Amino acid sequence: MAPIVHMFPCLQDNYGFLIHDPASGETATIDTPDAERILAEAASRGWKITQIWNTHWHPDHAGGNAAIKAATGCRITGPRGEADKIGTLDRLVGEGDEVALGGVVARVMDTPGHTAGHIVYALPEHKLAFVGDTLFALGCGRLFEGTPAQMWASLGKLRALPGDTKVYCAHEYTLSNLAFALSVDGRNPALHAYGDRVRALRERGQPTVPTTIADELAANPFMRADDPALQAAVGQSGDAVEAFREIRERKNVF
Ligand code: ZN
Ligand code: FE
């Protein structure tokens, strides 16, 4: 049976995600940006949170762990590499581990770059991926703790997912990412089509998340650092890591 995903805005520009397995009655929150809001969203659906799945240690992702655990007694799974920083983890996971929500299975991928231990939860059977701050619609996370080579390799794992995988990014940054993407890849017709779509969504106050792997492969400059035309547009040729580094540095000062 397919899980139900419930998404809602949290804090300034985060998204909260609850994933519910109707067969077992289990519910997980992906990260904990705002404990009170997440508990209220679960209660309004008649769901009880039984698990937390953390992507990385940043407070807008793990800051509500203790409060949600205190309220529900849930089990907390998170990145092995960030256990010390998060402090509240019951189970430590990394590349290739499986995390189960009843009969729904997520596979863990290590995606260092934004933070050193960042992980993504992919649900191949249901073509869903919870990517935290690794990949955004038309963007990617800032490299606080990783190198361009690491982040390009992490994005490579996401690039390899099926194109119709729904990608749940943790922030609504799409319009500002669009402005930057147009500045480096303005000759890409797929980017213009994507831009029209997300501008219309935001004008109606709707989220641009989830996106899909196929849409990001077509329009996201950080996913396209191996594209010869984009490389030429940023004064690079051939080396995808160098092109990625250049695009990321330009974004940092955009
Ligand atoms: Zn973060
Ligand atoms: Fe974040």
Side-chain angles (χ1 to χ4, degrees):
M1 195 189 282
I4 301 165
V5 178
H6 174 51
M7 185 181 106
F8 44 92
C10 273
L11 308 178
Q12 192 79 6
D13 51 35
N14 282 74
Y15 283 118
F17 310 103
L18 292 169
I19 177 168
H20 176 73
D21 171 40
S24 63
E26 280 215 63
T27 302
T29 174
I30 315 301
D31 288 328
T32 57
D34 180 340
E36 207 173 311
R37 177 76 195 273
I38 293 164
L39 289 165
E41 291 288 337
S44 75
R45 305 219 136 199
W47 297 348
K48 182 177 186 253
I49 294 172
T50 55
Q51 299 191 42
I52 295 169
W53 295 355
N54 282 136
T55 61
H56 66 295
W57 68 267
H58 284 161
D60 64 312
H61 296 262
N65 279 15
I68 292 177
K69 180 157 186 156
T72 63
C74 68
R75 178 173 164 83
I76 310 180
T77 297
R80 179 169 292 121
E82 301 185 354
D84 292 351
K85 281 182 164 146
I86 298 177
T88 45
L89 299 180
D90 299 306
R91 183 181 172 204
L92 315 183
V93 294
E95 182 77 26
D97 286 336
E98 290 189 344
V99 183
L101 184 76
V104 174
V105 177
R107 203 185 66 236
V108 174
M109 293 191 281
D110 287 335
T111 59
H114 178 66
T115 62
H118 195 297
I119 60 174
V120 159
Y121 296 87
L123 285 69
E125 194 185 337
H126 304 291
K127 294 194 174 167
L128 307 173
F130 296 95
V131 299
D133 289 355
T134 293
L135 177 65
F136 296 123
L138 298 181
C140 76
R142 277 179 185 269
L143 303 188
F144 289 119
E145 302 177 4
T147 65
Q150 281 177 320
M151 189 58 139
W152 177 246
S154 295
L155 293 177
K157 294 179 185 177
L158 300 179
R159 281 159 45 104
L161 293 173
D164 56 351
T165 303
K166 281 188 186 155
V167 178
Y168 289 89
C169 321
H171 292 268
E172 180 62 59
Y173 289 156
T174 312
L175 287 187
S176 60
N177 287 343
L178 171 63
F180 171 74
L182 287 167
S183 79
V184 289
D185 200 20
R187 290 187 182 166
N188 177 0
L191 174 58
H192 288 275
Y194 189 125
D196 290 346
R197 211 162 60 235
V198 295
R199 271 192 286 257
L201 284 169
R202 294 311 287 155
E203 274 164 23
R204 298 197 301 269
Q206 289 177 0
T208 63
V209 175
T211 178
T212 66
I213 293 295
D215 285 345
E216 298 312 309
L217 284 173
N220 184 328
F222 298 97
M223 294 282 262
R224 288 168 37 74
D226 60 344
D227 179 85
L230 174 53
Q231 289 182 344
V234 296
Q236 299 286 320
S237 71
D239 186 333
V241 171
E242 275 309 297
F244 177 83
R245 183 193 51 72
E246 176 66 25
I247 296 164
R248 187 61 252 181
E249 279 176 6
R250 288 189 186 203
K251 175 69 164 67
N252 292 346
V253 296
F254 183 73

